[in-house]
Amino acid sequence: MGSAHSVPAEMRELADRTGFTSEQIEHLHRRFKQLSRDQLTIRNLRPESDGLADEINFEDFLTIMSYFRPIEMNMDEEQLDRFRKEKLKFLFHMYDSDHDGKITLQEYRNVVEELLSGNPHLEKESARSIADGAMMEAASICVGQMGPDQVYEGITFEDFLKMWQGIDIETKMHVRFLNMETIAHCY
Amino acid sequence: MRQVSGVGLLLGLMALPAALGQRSSGSPINSNQTQSFAIVSFKWEHVKEPYIITLWILVASLAKIVFHLSSKVTRVVPESALLIVLGLLLGGIVWAADHIASFTLTPNVFFFYLLPPIVLDAGYFMPNRLFFGNLGSILLYAVIGTIWNAATTGLSLYGVYQTGIMGHLNSGLLDFLLFGSLIAAVDPVAVLAVFEEVHVNEVLFIIVFGESLLNDAVTVVLYNVFESFVTISQENVTGIECVKGIVSFFVVSLGGTLVGVFFAFLLSLVSRFTKHVRIIEPGFVFIISYLSYLTAEMLSLSAILAITFCGICCQKYVKANISEQSSTTVRYTMKMLASGAETIIFMFLGISAVDPDIWTWNTAFILLTLVFISVYRVIGVVLQTWILNHYRMVQLEIIDQVVMSYGGLRGAVAFALVALLDDEKVRDKNLFVSTTIIVVFFTVIFQGLTIKPLVQWLKVKKTEHREPKLNEKLHGRAFDHILSAIEDISGQIGHNYLRDKWSNFDRKFLSKVLMRRSAQKSRDQILNVFHELNLKDAISYVAEGERRGSLAFIRSPSTDNMVNVDFSTPLPSTVESSVSYLLREKAGPVCLDMQALEQRRKSIRDTEDTVTHHTLQQYLYKPRQEHKHLYSRHEIMHSEDDKQDKEIFHRTMRKRLESFKSTKLGINRSKKLNKIHKRDRGQKRRNSSVIPNGKIPSENPLQDFTLKEKDLEFSESEENNDYETLHLGKGVDFLANVTKQNFTDTPNGIDNPVFSTDDDQSIYMKFSPWLSSEDTVVPSQRARVQIPYSPNNFRRLTPFRLSNKSVDSFLLADGPEDRPRSFLPESTHM
């Protein structure tokens, strides 16, 4: 794509796939160009990129953004369910850094440590304990009463879904893509 | 039968103030009779004022008791309606006695004494995140909605008046507009009173309630503007006056808010330094908030906005700064004042209605008012919701709109405002008063009665009274970050971005200024939930232990012979040694009991107790009680037993600890802790070495140890947080520890005869799943005695692979049915 505008056919295909309107895609494209400084892809600037992609192109960018679309009023049950699953899948992948389909305790710990790293007064110990406690909780929800010989390996995607069953994430996990003025950031 | 007699007694009591009120009118003092010394005299005049006030408050409170005797009635009829009816009855009695209405709801009393507590209560317990998240919608409804209601009602009434149906009135356009403005406002008192019994979902509630609070600015402005217009009479109303009116709206609302924020800042700052005056700490909250109300009133700004924002802004810092007991005191006092004020308001609304002097009946006017306010409210809500839904993430559906329209209740504020009118200038004041009374009664009684069935019929989404699980909180936090990031990436300034920026600002600057140092450290939502969960586990653990009759780890020799006794009914002689007894004591003077208990215990089993409680104390948090926001006037706590036990339990533990501090030397204590720490360290080291994930955390035990030491020293400097920092990582460890063996350290650790190294294999039933055979086993200290079912089985996590012989009874109790065998004491050696 580069600096040229997307071909309408391509755009339509993207629009169908991600659900954005062509206007929103234009906006996001402009934003993408800003972030990538007119390159084709955005590079990963972090030093260690275990489990993370090195670069993403516009399509990936758009796909990820599409996970955060708000729910529309005219969606039916099945669409809603699919939507929700997509969002949860995204989250799941974020936690599961080695992409083996399970969130193990260590991965969970990493996540919690990252989350709580903003609080300077918290020690790693506590973060670990919290992760352990959370894992416990997850285990108790997902598997309920386990037999004496069972061992809980990690949270699979089904378990993850189960955990979030009663909880309404549709309202928590979306961003309004309304006024998309590209704001200049200093990079 | 009980109800009837209760009501009878009540009515009899009611007659008292009425009768007493009469006495005041004529009591000529016979001045020519005071020749001898009167041993006792009846000084009615002397005490009249406070006596009558107190009596009325007593009557109102007794009424509440009587109402709640019959749960059938209170489930259907909202309390406010019952109070109004009662007020009508009382008013009738008073009037019948004397034919003058001696008691009415005077605007001054209402605005100065009855309204502030209610609004402060609302602001202090406002769920901030929800409130600010929906602020846009709330503002729209509050401002535009109220103006719309006022304008349409006033103009329509005027229009109908022009047609002559209403007969002859002395009012012009301005009078009608004035009336419209005071009848248009949704009333916070009424909304609270009705909605708290209905339990609709949070978003809906916050929108209606927020609207009722914030529309005060509009009401004040409109009322003042139109009143002055009426005074200066229609001819002099020019464009300039109108412009001034609009400007005054902004001044009044923003000014009121600023006053509130300023006083909130002041309050938070003051609360930071009140460590040494704990007893009067709660007083500051009330005094300063009330000052904000009065200051705004003085400057003719919106007083309700001031006190609301004072409560909203100060909550976080005040709750972090003040001590646990002060926090509880503030909570209870606020609820009490607010509840009491609300009761009195409704009752007096009823009483004030019985005043034939003010009654002017004009069927058309009254009926039309009722019709207009309902219809225009519906139209207004629908229109505004349609606009809002373009901008909201969570759409407001038809059902929500129905509830919002129906929940637009008018209440005492309207009545007080109308009573304030000057009947020289507004010649139809009596008509307005009568209409207002009818409208208020209609909305509170009729709409209050029917809103519950309506909500059920429409299947409105209700609140979920669920404890936020740890995972939820964690993921909630993750969502926040992710969303901020996405918003940032997509280059927008959205809610999350703003919230993020605000919390950064708050953490960097505000909290440093306004929060105590100790509070800043532990102020994290996730931590709090975590602490609470741990504490809950610990408490249920202890409670279970008692139920089973074998809480041996805090047992002592003297209770040996009592072990078989069912602890649920403690005998007096065993009382002192049972923590559960303390748990059950919900009374306030825990201190006293603790002292007495301390004495007794110390005299018998000094060291053992110390160590035991030391252990317990060390591993339990003393988290701040974060009470979920319940929009209820009547309940503060979630589930009574649970939270109360928790609170009392950890209060108890803290007291014990403080008494230890005073009795033990500092060195000894830290030594003891060191020992126990060492034990932990060793344990952790051992356990972490068997984590199957392949990663052996490279913990330097010594390093961790010194880390803890540092925390200990640091925390010692602050009285109330002795072990808080220390225990940051300890809560889970406590429960986890009990499933690990730590017996290699027993020689170094607790020298407690209870924990004898008895290797009685017979009590070991099952093996824990993660046990690998290579480790040698020693039953944990817990395992020596039969410890009951713990709700939180840590064995389920793969990392916790422990020796295969650790037979904590923890493990035994898997499912709820799967109870271990008897907890007979003979398996333990005392």
Side-chain angles (χ1 to χ4, degrees):
Chain A
M1 290 180 205
S3 47
H5 268 297
S6 321
V7 180
E10 243 179 60
M11 181 127 82
R12 235 176 300 128
E13 188 223 321
L14 276 172
D16 288 331
R17 200 148 46 93
T18 59
F20 282 123
T21 67
S22 41
E23 200 184 69
Q24 287 170 330
I25 296 186
E26 297 259 334
H27 279 297
L28 280 170
H29 187 60
R30 246 177 283 149
R31 182 71 186 144
F32 181 79
K33 274 196 296 192
Q34 216 181 35
L35 286 172
S36 70
R37 294 178 223 222
D38 281 344
Q39 301 291 314
L40 280 172
T41 59
I42 301 181
R43 293 199 170 275
N44 183 2
L45 299 169
R46 266 166 64 137
E48 3 75 43
S49 44
D50 40 300
L52 309 170
D54 274 332
E55 46 188 39
I56 59 171
N57 56 21
F58 183 58
E59 251 180 73
D60 301 330
F61 183 69
L62 212 56
T63 315
I64 294 178
M65 287 300 190
S66 76
Y67 290 133
F68 290 93
R69 269 182 29 231
I71 312 179
E72 277 137 44
M73 297 278 265
N74 49 8
M75 282 186 168
D76 56 9
E77 275 296 319
E78 193 215 308
Q79 270 183 317
L80 270 172
D81 198 43
R82 199 167 42 91
F83 212 49
R84 189 185 156 92
K85 264 214 177 106
E86 271 175 18
K87 297 193 188 206
L88 284 173
K89 195 135 187 87
F90 180 71
L91 202 63
F92 187 75
H93 277 308
M94 273 195 58
Y95 290 160
D96 183 22
S97 44
D98 57 1
H99 299 294
D100 59 354
K102 290 202 234 282
I103 305 178
T104 58
L105 187 65
Q106 190 50 44
E107 286 168 349
Y108 212 57
R109 277 187 186 156
N110 289 342
V111 171
V112 173
E113 265 172 43
E114 286 263 355
L115 276 181
L116 298 177
S117 60
N119 186 346
H121 306 291
L122 212 53
E123 304 137 9
K124 266 193 156 203
E125 295 288 316
S126 347
R128 289 248 305 275
S129 320
I130 293 178
D132 296 343
M135 196 77 174
M136 266 313 300
E137 214 180 61
S140 66
I141 299 176
C142 304
V143 192
Q145 296 298 342
M146 292 189 273
D149 296 323
Q150 264 183 300
V151 148
Y152 193 54
E153 293 287 333
I155 308 181
T156 62
F157 186 53
E158 283 71 40
D159 297 337
F160 198 65
L161 280 178
K162 222 188 292 185
M163 259 169 53
W164 285 97
Q165 213 163 24
I167 306 164
D168 171 34
I169 67 144
E170 285 85 355
T171 57
K172 294 198 189 135
M173 197 164 147
H174 56 180
V175 171
R176 264 178 292 208
F177 287 104
L178 292 169
N179 310 318
M180 313 259 305
E181 264 99 71
T182 48
I183 299 171
H185 278 247
C186 20
Y187 272 102
Chain B
M1 189 54 217
R2 230 173 359 139
Q3 286 88 319
V4 171
S5 54
V7 169
L9 186 64
L10 197 61
L11 283 177
L13 197 55
M14 313 301 191
L16 199 52
L20 287 174
Q22 308 322 311
R23 275 209 135 230
S24 60
S25 39
S27 48
I29 306 170
N30 293 335
S31 47
N32 51 352
Q33 242 173 305
T34 48
Q35 277 116 5
S36 63
F37 173 70
I39 301 176
V40 164
S41 52
F42 190 74
K43 294 185 172 167
W44 172 244
E45 284 298 322
H46 192 54
V47 297
K48 183 178 77 160
E49 298 277 341
Y51 204 95
I52 293 195
I53 295 177
T54 317
L55 216 51
W56 275 119
I57 298 179
L58 178 64
V59 161
S61 315
L62 285 177
K64 266 177 103 97
I65 299 181
V66 171
F67 291 152
H68 284 279
L69 282 178
S70 156
S71 61
K72 264 187 298 193
V73 174
T74 48
R75 239 182 298 141
V76 175
V77 185
E79 206 181 272
S80 39
L82 286 171
L83 282 167
I84 288 186
V85 169
L86 173 70
L88 284 172
L89 279 172
L90 290 181
I93 296 178
V94 170
W95 190 71
D98 204 29
H99 294 268
I100 26 170
S102 1
F103 303 106
T104 50
L105 186 64
T106 47
N108 266 355
V109 167
F110 176 74
F111 280 120
F112 282 142
Y113 303 113
L114 295 176
L115 190 59
I118 298 180
V119 184
L120 177 61
D121 175 64
Y124 193 76
F125 293 107
M126 178 79 72
N128 273 354
R129 187 168 159 139
L130 205 58
F131 180 72
F132 286 109
N134 289 298
L135 192 60
S137 321
I138 293 178
L139 277 177
L140 184 72
Y141 284 116
V143 177
I144 307 292
T146 312
I147 295 181
W148 161 265
N149 280 343
T152 52
T153 312
L155 288 173
S156 316
L157 282 174
Y158 181 65
V160 173
Y161 171 63
Q162 296 292 76
T163 65
I165 303 183
M166 294 188 202
H168 177 70
L169 296 170
N170 292 324
S171 305
L173 172 65
L174 287 172
D175 300 87
F176 281 108
L177 283 174
L178 175 61
F179 179 69
S181 69
L182 63 88
I183 202 85
V186 177
D187 184 73
V189 181
V191 164
L192 261 181
V194 170
F195 267 65
E196 75 174 351
E197 311 201 1
V198 177
H199 298 301
V200 296
N201 65 61
E202 305 173 316
V203 175
L204 195 51
F205 175 79
I206 201 75
I207 291 182
V208 178
F209 183 56
E211 177 198 341
S212 70
L213 279 179
L214 296 189
N215 67 19
D216 178 62
V218 180
T219 311
V220 163
V221 168
L222 283 178
Y223 180 82
N224 286 333
V225 161
F226 284 124
E227 205 192 2
S228 64
F229 281 8
V230 166
T231 315
I232 65 182
S233 88
Q234 196 155 358
E235 302 83 53
N236 300 339
V237 175
T238 61
I240 301 192
E241 306 288 330
C242 295
V243 168
K244 277 205 270 182
I246 297 178
V247 168
S248 86
F249 164 68
F250 287 105
V251 169
V252 162
S253 49
L254 290 173
T257 314
L258 283 174
V259 168
V261 170
F262 171 72
F263 276 94
F265 187 81
L266 202 63
L267 177 58
S268 316
L269 200 57
V270 166
S271 69
R272 185 177 170 187
F273 300 111
T274 52
K275 194 159 86 164
H276 299 285
V277 285
R278 292 246 183 258
I279 296 294
I280 62 170
E281 237 179 357
F284 283 112
V285 176
F286 295 99
I287 302 277
I288 298 186
S289 312
Y290 192 48
L291 261 186
S292 76
Y293 184 86
L294 293 177
T295 310
E297 189 72 30
M298 173 178 80
L299 299 172
S300 73
L301 304 170
S302 165
I304 293 188
L305 276 187
I307 201 172
T308 305
F309 277 96
C310 183
I312 287 179
C313 299
C314 82
Q315 13 163 304
K316 176 172 170 195
Y317 306 106
V318 167
K319 283 177 189 168
N321 282 339
I322 62 182
S323 72
E324 190 73 29
Q325 289 105 319
S326 301
S327 187
T328 312
T329 310
V330 167
R331 221 178 358 252
Y332 269 103
T333 313
M334 233 185 249
K335 292 288 180 197
M336 182 189 79
L337 286 176
S339 183
E342 184 189 297
T343 314
I344 296 180
I345 288 178
F346 282 116
M347 199 174 72
F348 267 85
L349 266 179
I351 297 178
S352 317
V354 184
D355 183 5
D357 290 343
I358 61 171
W359 278 97
T360 316
W361 188 269
N362 185 326
T363 323
F365 188 78
I366 295 176
L367 267 175
L368 283 171
T369 311
L370 278 175
V371 167
F372 284 146
I373 59 171
S374 318
V375 167
Y376 286 126
R377 170 129 183 110
V378 173
I379 299 179
V381 165
V382 167
L383 278 177
Q384 290 167 86
T385 314
W386 180 77
I387 300 176
L388 270 183
N389 274 342
H390 289 301
Y391 296 100
R392 278 182 64 90
M393 286 205 230
V394 179
Q395 308 283 294
L396 293 166
E397 300 152 22
I398 304 280
I399 295 185
D400 297 329
Q401 294 172 39
V402 168
V403 176
M404 271 196 281
S405 330
Y406 206 66
L409 309 170
R410 272 67 172 177
V413 173
F415 176 76
L417 284 177
V418 86
L420 263 183
L421 290 175
D422 185 347
D423 63 357
E424 300 291 319
K425 304 192 188 116
V426 181
R427 261 137 333 138
D428 276 315
K429 176 180 167 181
N430 285 338
L431 174 62
F432 289 168
V433 170
S434 321
T435 315
T436 310
I437 291 183
I438 303 248
V439 165
V440 169
F441 282 13
F442 177 78
T443 56
V444 171
I445 299 182
F446 180 71
Q447 284 181 255
L449 261 173
T450 51
I451 199 167
K452 229 186 207 173
L454 187 72
V455 159
Q456 277 168 357
W457 180 55
L458 289 176
K459 301 196 192 42
V460 176
K461 211 160 63 138
K462 301 226 170 166
T463 53
E464 296 168 12
H465 283 285
R466 213 171 16 96
E467 293 275 350
K469 302 206 200 67
L470 190 58
N471 276 303
E472 226 177 289
K473 282 261 172 178
L474 272 178
H475 293 300
R477 177 72 64 87
F479 280 142
D480 284 344
H481 285 308
I482 296 175
L483 288 184
S484 296
I486 297 280
E487 278 186 359
D488 209 16
I489 293 176
S490 62
Q492 316 178 71
I493 299 196
H495 262 301
N496 295 289
Y497 179 79
L498 286 173
R499 186 170 46 222
D500 211 26
K501 286 279 171 277
W502 167 257
S503 62
N504 277 342
F505 171 70
D506 176 56
R507 199 175 53 221
K508 284 203 193 102
F509 301 111
L510 284 182
S511 298
K512 292 227 165 77
V513 173
L514 297 174
M515 276 213 265
R516 288 191 201 160
R517 232 170 5 132
S518 54
Q520 283 175 41
K521 287 199 310 284
S522 44
R523 225 26 219 180
D524 196 304
Q525 288 268 343
I526 291 187
L527 268 186
N528 291 341
V529 174
F530 186 53
H531 296 183
E532 273 199 25
L533 286 176
N534 285 327
L535 201 53
K536 194 157 56 162
D537 284 340
I539 291 196
S540 54
Y541 165 73
V542 170
E544 268 298 316
E546 289 167 350
R547 223 162 53 76
R548 308 233 138 236
S550 74
L551 209 49
F553 67 101
I554 56 170
R555 241 162 46 180
S556 44
S558 72
T559 62
D560 260 1
N561 49 348
M562 295 297 188
V563 174
N564 282 333
V565 173
D566 182 7
F567 269 77
S568 55
T569 54
L571 302 177
S573 53
T574 61
V575 149
E576 59 247 38
S577 38
S578 163
V579 172
S580 67
Y581 178 68
L582 298 169
L583 272 177
R584 264 176 273 280
E585 270 200 341
K586 307 204 199 287
V590 175
C591 297
L592 298 176
D593 293 302
M594 285 311 303
Q595 289 238 321
L597 288 162
E598 278 309 307
Q599 304 308 330
R600 267 175 285 176
R601 298 206 67 162
K602 280 202 162 38
S603 62
I604 305 171
R605 310 162 293 278
D606 211 352
T607 8
E608 183 201 0
D609 281 352
T610 325
V611 165
T612 313
H613 291 287
H614 215 46
T615 323
L616 254 192
Q617 177 60 72
Q618 187 197 344
Y619 286 123
L620 293 179
Y621 286 100
K622 289 174 289 298
R624 188 126 300 204
Q625 289 288 326
E626 201 90 271
H627 285 259
K628 217 170 140 154
H629 297 285
L630 265 189
Y631 316 125
S632 161
R633 187 55 50 70
H634 309 292
E635 288 120 53
I636 296 179
M637 304 200 180
H638 231 149
S639 58
E640 279 69 37
D641 285 359
D642 211 356
K643 293 241 173 188
Q644 265 184 19
D645 284 356
K646 214 187 302 190
E647 197 174 9
I648 293 174
F649 185 71
H650 86 285
R651 238 193 294 143
T652 307
M653 289 332 244
R654 191 215 313 256
K655 289 236 173 336
R656 281 189 176 270
L657 186 66
E658 281 172 356
S659 67
F660 292 148
K661 258 179 65 171
S662 56
T663 51
K664 300 270 170 205
L665 297 175
I667 307 169
N668 284 358
R669 195 184 70 235
S670 46
K671 265 208 194 126
K672 259 210 171 66
L673 288 171
N674 295 354
K675 269 207 258 177
I676 296 168
H677 273 140
K678 272 213 189 90
R679 183 163 58 78
D680 286 348
R681 292 295 114 233
Q683 208 169 294
K684 262 190 128 67
R685 197 175 354 129
R686 227 155 44 76
N687 288 321
S688 51
S689 65
V690 293
I691 292 178
N693 280 358
K695 289 192 184 180
I696 297 178
S698 52
E699 296 173 71
N700 185 354
L702 203 54
Q703 185 189 18
D704 289 324
F705 172 64
T706 49
L707 212 75
K708 291 285 183 283
E709 269 292 286
K710 202 164 41 125
D711 278 327
L712 173 61
E713 278 146 30
F714 178 71
S715 63
E716 271 178 9
S717 60
E718 285 170 352
E719 188 196 1
N720 251 6
N721 295 298
D722 302 75
Y723 292 94
E724 226 173 72
T725 50
L726 194 63
H727 299 177
L728 272 179
K730 288 303 188 178
V732 171
D733 290 349
F734 165 58
L735 290 171
N737 285 345
V738 301
T739 59
K740 303 176 188 169
Q741 325 85 30
N742 45 17
F743 66 106
T744 46
D745 311 311
T746 347
N748 312 333
I750 298 172
D751 295 316
N752 194 328
V754 172
F755 304 124
S756 59
T757 50
D758 182 50
D759 228 0
D760 188 5
Q761 291 287 331
S762 60
I763 65 173
Y764 306 151
M765 272 206 302
K766 296 188 198 165
F767 297 135
S768 49
W770 58 87
L771 305 183
S772 51
S773 43
E774 51 265 17
D775 292 341
T776 52
V777 75
V778 171
S780 74
Q781 296 173 348
R782 298 277 171 275
R784 300 317 149 68
V785 300
Q786 300 283 347
I787 298 232
Y789 166 60
S790 153
N792 206 351
N793 293 323
F794 276 95
R795 60 196 184 118
R796 295 307 180 193
L797 298 183
T798 33
F800 294 129
R801 290 189 187 264
L802 301 173
S803 144
N804 57 359
K805 266 170 71 183
S806 160
V807 195
D808 225 46
S809 342
F810 254 120
L811 330 171
L812 308 181
D814 215 4
E817 317 310 303
D818 186 21
R819 293 265 177 249
R821 307 175 225 89
S822 60
F823 293 93
L824 298 177
E826 60 255 23
S827 55
T828 67
H829 297 247
M830 293 300 144

